[in-house]
Amino acid sequence: MLISLDWLKQYVDIKENIKELDNALTMIGQEVEAIDIQGKDLERVVIGEIVEYDRHPNSDRLTLLKVNVGEAEPIQIVCGAPNHKLGDKVVVARIGAVLPGNFKIKKSKIRDVESFGMLCSEVELGLGENGDGIIILPQDAPVGEEYRKYAGLDDVIFELEITPNRPDCLSHIGIAREIAAYYGRKVKYPVANFTETIESTTKFAKVNIEDKERCKRYMGRVITNVKVGESPEWLKKRIRAMGMHPINNIVDITNFVMFEYNQPMHAFDLDKVKNGSVVVRAAKPGEKIITLDGVERELNNEELVIADEERPIAIAGIIGGVESEITAETKNIFLEVAYFEPSNIRKTARRLGIITESSYRNERGMDIEGIEEASERAVALIAEIAGGEVLDGAIDRYIEKPKKCEIPLSFEKLNKFVGKELPEDVVGKILSNLGFGIKTLSQDTLVVIPPVYRGDLTRTADIYEEIIRMYGFDNIEAIMPVEDIRAGLREASVELADDARKIIREVGLQEVVNYSFIPSNVVDILNIKDPVIPISNPLSEDMAILRPTLIWSLLANIRDNINRNQFDLRLAEVSRVFTPADELANEELRICIGLAGRPERTLWNPKPESYDFYTIKGYVEKVMEYLGVTKYRLSRTENPNFHPGRSAEISIGNEVVGVFGEIHPDVQEKMDIKRERVYIAELDLAKLDKYRKKTIKYERIVKYPEVTRDLAIVLDRDVLVGDMVESIKKISSLIEKVDIFDVYEGDKIDSGKKSVAISIVLRDKEKTLDEKQINDVVEKVLNMIAKEYKGEIRK
């Protein structure tokens, strides 16, 4: 946003120099990106008068002049321009001047005649596009005066970085309000004076808002018998200062008020509006409009347009149409000032690829209450400059008035937030200077009512920020707070997740981190029957839902690694899964382990075997042990994602806390995982946390020896060996550990049978076991196996 210092001074008294003002703007949050001192390239450029006029002796096209520049003797200049005569007041670049483009003026010889300067055109001074002739000034122009001072080119232009939440600062009055509040001064608002005729506006124009969702207010006024022409010099100067070219007095006035009030507006040639009927509506599919930039645009997305009875005449809030534009022949105008829904302006401007000063402001949100004031200011200027007649009354369609926000402010909380006790009268003055309404709620609390144009203020913290930036950050001393600093306890779920991550690293697994978003087709791949949570605005199809399981992510990791010829895969992830809930979502912390391939071949392991069911089982048991969960049961699972004969679920009591095993071939095929079997385990950490032994007790090393007995038991093939092992452990307190070290099925035993070799470790912590104790325990084990599992010693 460009701000002219000369223009700004019309609304607020500014006594500070450029550096001080730069600092003040930055301190109140309006960061200055650049400062352009106009006229800095016009040093030694002065006003002169042609006092002698002759033809160049060696050229028919050149003139030889004597020019009075306010010194004792006139200077000699050779000129090639066609538009000057004796007595003209001109602009002279004297020797030593450096014009825009680093063009240095030196003493020179032109066709053997010396020249001591140059008469300048607009192009040479960087002030315009007219290079056909030199600048001719009025006869009252003072000879010898600096041209930049005479032409008002000694302005300073500040380029400000206005944040998106402060559209009110995209104008000179907006910045004037900020400066006035900071320095405690008054804002001098412009006065709009004009006389209305007895004829009513509604006689010549009518307004109908069909799309009331995207247009909350529309005001129109009619000015007749205007004289469209060139703008006065002061107005052109203001427009140029904003980086724009003057067009004509009507258009320049609408732009001037936009930069003054931050209120875009548009003037239509009323005689080109069919029956003076203005309709705010959605565009019809296939409608076309030639916009002011000369481009024909087809409207297909129900863009908001301003139309008459036949066709669209403007794209609302963005750009006008050629068919209703102001021209030199325009006599009667319809002035539009409106509030359009910002999100609609933003979408339409991006889709059509049109970014204008109007769209830039409308998409950030206007001051809906300030529409009338801006309209009257523009009408007054049109009546003054273009000589128009203002018809009686305005057409004002006000659909929805904004609700004023009331924000409580506690002095005690404010002072605690700031870190300094601010006097109540100082706080009250700051709020009043900012234009806030104030009501007393209690002795310590105020109710603050921001003006409508401050839509960014909605909560108490916003008011704190306003007070601090106006009080001055440099006025708040840097004092270290005195706090009773103690280490706080970590949240239980965070501690559990950290413990799990530490465990997977300690058991030799590689931790992976995946996105919580997964493709929607995972529901079919993993046979998920429960509802999932879709993402309303997914970044891509691969991130369409929140994952209800970690299994797909580990399978995708394994697939991608195998495709890159990595075959020693021992991966694990600790993260959350998500399921629908009444308000937000249920988040469950889980650990997932994935195995595939075989260990790397080494000198001591030249023919490594592939990972199998017992490998994943070992990792699960080790993780459970490290977590402190010792009592659990393994049983066959019917989970359709796992191989039915090579998988198990983990239960504690009646609660299933996890599942592990070989992934079903159908799932592998859908995941496009080839060549390797994949083993996955997924454990619910939140459920496991309930059964953890969180207190670690030291147990001294037992000095008495262990005794091992190996048994080969023949069982029916369908007997679950895990259940049998659990039963063996319960027989005697002397049984320390039970391991399975072989399972055999073949021609050396009966069909339908299997041989299970188990190793039983016995130990008494108080004394050495004798043979009788050992034999008693073994006999009890064999009896229990025979009775409950129909097993017998293999002969």
Side-chain angles (χ1 to χ4, degrees):
M1 173 64 192
L2 301 180
I3 293 292
S4 160
L5 179 58
D6 184 52
W7 192 351
L8 192 64
K9 287 179 178 179
Q10 293 192 356
Y11 311 113
V12 61
D13 292 328
I14 297 177
K15 308 164 189 175
E16 291 70 27
N17 59 37
I18 295 173
K19 185 176 180 180
E20 291 171 334
L21 189 58
D22 176 11
N23 181 67
L25 287 167
T26 301
M27 290 301 293
I28 59 178
Q30 314 304 337
E31 185 177 351
V32 179
E33 288 199 324
I35 300 175
D36 178 23
I37 301 175
Q38 290 188 334
K40 62 179 180 295
D41 294 328
L42 301 182
E43 287 189 17
R44 297 190 62 78
V45 178
V46 300
I47 298 172
E49 180 181 7
I50 301 174
V51 294
E52 289 186 23
Y53 182 99
D54 289 307
R55 287 290 168 186
H56 192 288
N58 301 322
S59 173
D60 294 335
R61 294 188 303 105
L62 302 176
T63 56
L64 183 60
L65 311 174
K66 290 289 182 71
V67 182
N68 177 16
V69 291
E71 295 186 349
E73 295 292 333
I75 61 175
Q76 179 172 286
I77 296 177
V78 176
C79 182
N83 65 325
H84 58 284
K85 62 183 185 301
L86 185 66
D88 279 346
K89 297 288 182 70
V90 291
V91 180
V92 182
R94 302 195 60 184
I95 292 174
V98 181
L99 301 183
N102 200 32
F103 179 55
K104 298 178 181 179
I105 304 300
K106 304 176 183 177
K107 176 184 175 182
S108 60
K109 273 191 177 184
I110 302 175
R111 296 286 183 95
D112 296 329
V113 176
E114 289 184 330
S115 180
F116 297 89
M118 183 178 77
L119 304 190
C120 302
S121 67
E122 289 183 354
V123 170
E124 288 159 340
L125 296 180
L127 302 177
E129 300 177 355
N130 184 5
D132 295 335
I134 62 173
I135 299 172
I136 306 297
L137 302 174
Q139 282 299 308
D140 59 355
V143 172
E145 184 173 307
E146 281 194 336
Y147 177 66
R148 61 183 176 185
K149 182 177 180 182
Y150 169 80
L153 297 174
D154 52 352
D155 197 1
V156 177
I157 305 298
F158 289 87
E159 184 178 349
L160 305 182
E161 176 64 30
I162 306 298
T163 54
N165 66 319
R166 293 299 308 273
D168 58 297
C169 290
L170 292 171
S171 66
H172 284 76
I173 285 180
I175 297 299
R177 283 193 292 243
E178 291 284 287
I179 293 172
Y182 185 69
Y183 287 116
R185 297 167 190 167
K186 297 291 184 182
V187 178
K188 296 177 284 187
Y189 291 95
V191 178
N193 292 320
F194 58 89
T195 303
E196 296 177 323
T197 66
I198 59 173
E199 287 187 295
S200 174
T201 298
T202 54
K203 181 180 178 181
F204 291 84
K206 54 186 176 181
V207 173
N208 178 29
I209 302 179
E210 290 184 1
D211 196 326
K212 295 179 173 59
E213 289 299 317
R214 294 190 286 177
C215 180
K216 301 299 184 183
R217 187 178 187 184
Y218 192 99
M219 177 174 282
R221 299 211 63 143
V222 174
I223 304 99
T224 61
N225 299 320
V226 298
K227 295 178 182 179
V228 179
E230 189 175 350
S231 297
E233 194 59 39
W234 71 266
L235 181 54
K236 290 194 288 186
K237 176 188 174 184
R238 297 294 186 228
I239 298 301
R240 289 194 193 103
M242 296 297 98
M244 300 179 71
H245 295 295
I247 299 174
N248 59 52
N249 49 11
I250 303 299
V251 175
D252 291 348
I253 287 169
T254 60
N255 286 331
F256 172 84
V257 177
M258 176 177 66
F259 291 121
E260 183 178 50
Y261 276 93
N262 187 41
Q263 179 58 64
M265 54 185 63
H266 189 72
F268 298 93
D269 187 328
L270 185 58
D271 297 324
K272 298 176 183 176
V273 178
K274 184 70 174 179
N275 294 328
S277 178
V278 176
V279 183
V280 185
R281 62 170 173 81
K284 300 173 184 176
E287 269 191 324
K288 295 181 179 180
I289 179 175
I290 301 176
T291 49
L292 289 173
D293 55 4
V295 178
E296 184 179 62
R297 304 180 189 275
E298 185 172 337
L299 308 175
N300 293 310
N301 202 35
E302 294 191 341
E303 297 87 351
L304 189 67
V305 297
I306 311 300
D308 60 12
E309 293 180 350
E310 297 180 345
R311 69 208 190 284
I313 56 177
I315 301 175
I318 298 175
I319 193 170
V322 167
E323 294 183 2
S324 61
E325 73 173 318
I326 303 297
T327 65
E329 290 73 36
T330 298
K331 297 297 180 186
N332 305 310
I333 65 173
F334 178 82
L335 182 67
E336 163 198 283
V337 189
Y339 180 91
F340 302 110
E341 188 62 33
S343 60
N344 168 69
I345 300 295
R346 187 180 307 112
K347 291 176 183 177
T348 302
R350 299 299 183 273
R351 195 186 77 78
L352 296 178
I354 312 174
I355 305 298
T356 62
E357 291 286 353
S358 179
S359 70
Y360 179 76
R361 286 163 169 76
N362 277 314
E363 71 181 29
R364 282 159 174 76
M366 294 292 95
D367 176 13
I368 195 170
E369 290 285 285
I371 282 177
E372 184 175 2
E373 187 178 1
S375 175
E376 290 182 351
R377 171 65 164 161
V379 167
L381 289 172
I382 292 172
E384 176 187 343
I385 295 171
E389 298 174 357
V390 183
L391 299 195
D392 181 45
I395 300 173
D396 188 6
R397 301 287 182 261
Y398 205 158
I399 305 301
E400 183 180 342
K401 291 191 176 184
K403 294 180 180 178
K404 290 193 175 182
C405 190
E406 296 191 355
I407 304 171
L409 174 66
S410 164
F411 287 107
E412 181 182 354
K413 292 180 180 179
L414 169 65
N415 293 332
K416 185 176 180 180
F417 183 86
V418 174
K420 178 178 181 178
E421 190 163 338
L422 303 181
E424 294 182 9
D425 60 332
V426 171
V427 173
K429 187 176 181 180
I430 289 173
L431 296 174
S432 298
N433 290 342
L434 285 166
F436 296 174
I438 303 173
K439 293 192 299 186
T440 301
L441 190 62
S442 67
Q443 186 175 358
D444 177 64
T445 305
L446 302 175
V447 174
V448 180
I449 308 168
V452 174
Y453 58 79
R454 290 303 306 274
D456 59 310
L457 306 180
T458 58
R459 53 184 185 158
T460 304
D462 297 331
I463 304 301
Y464 292 166
E465 182 181 342
E466 293 298 297
I467 293 169
I468 292 170
R469 72 188 185 93
M470 288 299 165
Y471 181 75
F473 290 97
D474 51 348
N475 292 325
I476 300 175
E477 297 81 3
I479 301 173
M480 287 294 292
V482 178
E483 295 288 347
D484 183 11
I485 301 175
R486 302 180 188 178
L489 293 175
R490 290 190 301 168
E491 188 180 345
S493 62
V494 175
E495 188 170 3
L496 177 61
D498 288 347
D499 288 347
R501 291 189 180 98
K502 182 179 179 181
I503 289 168
I504 63 177
R505 292 193 296 268
E506 288 182 352
V507 299
L509 298 169
Q510 292 178 305
E511 184 180 0
V512 296
V513 179
N514 292 296
Y515 288 115
S516 295
F517 309 128
I518 60 175
S520 55
N521 65 347
V522 172
V523 172
D524 298 323
I525 293 174
L526 296 183
N527 306 292
I528 297 172
K529 305 301 181 186
D530 296 327
V532 296
I533 302 174
I535 305 300
S536 59
N537 57 338
L539 296 174
S540 68
E541 293 181 1
D542 290 336
M543 296 185 172
I545 63 173
L546 280 170
R547 57 181 176 177
T549 175
L550 303 182
I551 293 176
W552 184 89
S553 301
L554 267 292
L555 289 175
N557 294 147
I558 289 171
R559 176 196 61 201
D560 294 343
N561 275 278
I562 290 175
N563 290 343
R564 291 163 176 79
N565 296 319
Q566 298 297 317
F567 297 103
D568 181 12
L569 303 175
R570 293 168 294 162
L571 310 178
E573 181 175 14
V574 177
S575 191
R576 298 180 185 277
V577 299
F578 305 87
T579 55
D582 293 337
E583 295 183 0
L584 296 174
N586 292 320
E587 300 184 28
E588 299 172 7
L589 187 63
R590 293 188 184 178
I591 180 172
C592 192
I593 302 170
L595 304 179
R598 64 199 63 79
E600 294 284 348
R601 186 172 64 181
T602 61
L603 181 64
W604 55 88
N605 189 21
K607 293 182 179 180
E609 295 183 359
S610 298
Y611 297 123
D612 57 17
F613 172 81
Y614 295 104
T615 313
I616 190 73
K617 178 174 179 288
Y619 276 113
V620 169
E621 290 175 339
K622 188 59 68 173
V623 168
M624 298 283 278
E625 178 187 340
Y626 279 27
L627 281 172
V629 181
T630 55
K631 295 182 180 180
Y632 55 87
R633 184 178 72 257
L634 302 182
S635 58
R636 288 180 180 175
T637 178
E638 297 180 0
N639 190 315
N641 296 317
F642 291 88
H643 194 294
R646 301 169 189 159
S647 57
E649 64 182 19
I650 309 166
S651 303
I652 301 176
N654 295 323
E655 190 170 31
V656 176
V657 296
V659 63
F660 69 91
E662 182 182 331
I663 289 296
H664 198 287
D666 292 345
V667 175
Q668 280 199 215
E669 184 178 350
K670 291 177 185 177
M671 289 294 299
D672 197 26
I673 300 176
K674 303 172 183 176
R675 296 184 282 178
E676 299 290 340
R677 291 180 175 179
V678 179
Y679 300 88
I680 294 288
E682 186 173 34
L683 311 176
D684 191 323
L685 282 174
K687 290 180 180 178
L688 287 172
D689 190 48
K690 296 185 295 185
Y691 305 105
R692 293 176 65 191
K693 288 184 177 178
K694 298 178 183 179
T695 302
I696 299 174
K697 293 182 179 180
Y698 167 76
E699 191 173 283
R700 64 182 177 86
I701 297 174
V702 180
K703 65 181 181 179
Y704 300 104
E706 65 180 35
V707 176
T708 303
R709 290 289 184 268
D710 294 338
L711 303 175
I713 307 296
V714 177
L715 300 164
D716 290 339
R717 183 179 296 171
D718 294 335
V719 172
L720 298 178
V721 179
D723 292 346
M724 186 182 74
V725 169
E726 292 300 317
S727 298
I728 292 173
K729 290 178 180 178
K730 296 175 182 177
I731 286 177
S732 171
S733 61
L734 297 178
I735 297 176
E736 189 175 84
K737 187 167 65 171
V738 180
D739 285 329
I740 300 171
F741 61 89
D742 185 47
V743 177
Y744 172 76
E745 295 180 23
D747 55 2
K748 295 185 178 180
I749 60 174
D750 295 340
S751 176
K753 299 287 186 176
K754 62 183 176 182
S755 174
V756 180
I758 60 175
S759 176
I760 303 175
V761 177
L762 301 99
R763 191 197 311 260
D764 191 333
K765 297 179 181 180
E766 303 297 331
K767 60 185 178 65
T768 301
L769 289 170
D770 58 36
E771 194 66 27
K772 185 177 182 305
Q773 287 178 299
I774 297 169
N775 292 337
D776 287 347
V777 172
V778 172
E779 186 177 351
K780 289 179 182 178
V781 168
L782 293 174
N783 290 337
M784 184 275 296
I785 292 174
K787 181 179 180 181
E788 296 185 17
Y789 297 97
K790 304 295 186 291
E792 59 184 17
I793 289 288
R794 183 178 173 183
K795 301 289 195 285

